[in-house]
Amino acid sequence: GESVGLHLPTLSVQEGDNSIINCAYSNSASDYFIWYKQESGKGPQFIIDIRSNMDKRQGQRVTVLLNKTVKHLSLQIAATQPGDSAVYFCAEKVNGYGNKLVFGAGTILRVKS
Amino acid sequence: EPEVTQTPSHQVTQMGQEVILRCVPISNHLYFYWYRQILGQKVEFLVSFYNNEISEKSEIFDDQFSVERPDGSNFTLKIRSTKLEDSAMYFCASSPLTGAFNQPQHFGDGTRLSIL
């Protein structure tokens, strides 16, 4: 039968504004989280990671926040640029289950100039 | 900056044929992975490989799949008898360490596999 593709949520922001992309993860035993950016025709590109013993981590123009109580992860991008337009995935690694990453469905970020 | 490279970028194969997808992980990395992404769907884990053996595999990775590190630089994924549903983007990834020292996995740009 015909496979049904995911209907990804889309976030549209104006160039220069801040973006917040959210992710609800599934397993309370997850101990490591990564945000990836995927541009059309490319593989997932590492943006930033965070371990479960932290609740915030900052990189260049990006910040990841982790709320373990509600199993929520967010990626904040400051001063969003057209080059930030892509699909953003969160991925989790479950403690004690080897190294495999479980990816979320993704969010499309569109930056309007 | 070192990167994971994959070849070919696009592979078209008849159903039932064998296909080998090739990857060159980042040179000082120790852990290697294959993931796939069916069009419009999530990235899914297939297999991880460490110290010349499979360390974990998913239910997708059945007897038709195998992985090999034939030399010091290449890491391959073989599908013995391809099916239509194997059509997907296949991503190779590598990471330097594992376990308590969580390290990000770095991905290649993938091989688009089309089964006819």
Side-chain angles (χ1 to χ4, degrees):
Chain A
E2 188 178 311
S3 65
V4 178
L6 293 170
H7 293 285
L8 301 184
T10 300
L11 175 65
S12 292
V13 299
Q14 199 65 39
E15 181 179 0
D17 287 352
N18 297 334
S19 303
I20 299 177
I21 300 170
N22 296 302
C23 175
Y25 65 91
S26 57
N27 198 318
S28 56
S30 293
D31 63 350
Y32 179 59
F33 306 87
I34 307 177
W35 278 101
Y36 285 97
K37 172 187 181 183
Q38 188 178 28
E39 296 173 286
S40 181
K42 298 264 192 180
Q45 177 189 353
F46 170 78
I47 302 173
I48 192 167
D49 58 358
I50 189 167
R51 297 184 173 91
S52 59
N53 61 352
M54 305 169 71
D55 52 24
K56 180 178 179 178
R57 189 157 189 233
Q58 287 185 286
Q60 190 176 23
R61 270 200 319 119
V62 293
T63 301
V64 55
L65 298 177
L66 174 62
N67 185 332
K68 294 182 288 293
T69 304
V70 294
K71 292 190 286 186
H72 184 267
L73 199 64
S74 68
L75 176 71
Q76 300 176 4
I77 304 174
T80 315
Q81 302 167 0
D84 294 327
S85 294
V87 179
Y88 287 80
F89 293 97
C90 65
E92 61 186 296
K93 184 187 81 66
V94 180
N95 186 28
Y97 282 80
N99 242 21
K100 76 173 187 184
L101 293 177
V102 176
F103 279 77
T107 296
I108 299 170
L109 176 65
R110 289 206 177 103
V111 182
K112 299 175 284 188
S113 300
Chain B
E1 187 175 317
E3 57 183 28
V4 175
T5 56
Q6 291 186 242
T7 54
S9 57
H10 191 189
Q11 175 78 45
V12 182
T13 302
Q14 291 288 332
M15 186 173 60
Q17 296 296 304
E18 174 183 287
V19 66
I20 297 176
L21 309 182
R22 302 180 192 280
C23 170
V24 179
I26 295 172
S27 63
N28 62 346
H29 284 190
L30 302 176
Y31 230 98
F32 314 117
Y33 314 84
W34 285 99
Y35 290 80
R36 78 172 186 190
Q37 186 178 30
I38 293 171
L39 186 64
Q41 298 191 23
K42 293 183 186 183
V43 177
E44 302 173 286
F45 171 80
L46 292 178
V47 66
S48 58
F49 190 87
Y50 172 71
N51 201 25
N52 282 319
E53 60 183 25
I54 290 173
S55 57
E56 189 178 4
K57 59 184 180 179
S58 72
E59 59 276 7
I60 302 168
F61 194 89
D62 61 21
D63 292 345
Q64 294 300 309
F65 290 85
S66 62
V67 289
E68 194 178 29
R69 187 154 165 82
D71 53 45
S73 60
N74 290 284
F75 179 52
T76 62
L77 174 70
K78 182 194 290 186
I79 309 175
R80 252 178 282 282
S81 178
T82 49
K83 303 186 285 286
L84 292 175
E85 53 265 38
D86 294 328
S87 295
M89 282 291 287
Y90 286 80
F91 293 108
C92 174
S94 68
S95 64
L97 282 172
T98 181
F101 305 99
N102 287 312
Q103 296 285 332
Q105 296 175 24
H106 296 271
F107 285 74
D109 283 338
T111 293
R112 178 173 300 283
L113 179 62
S114 300
I115 307 301
L116 305 179

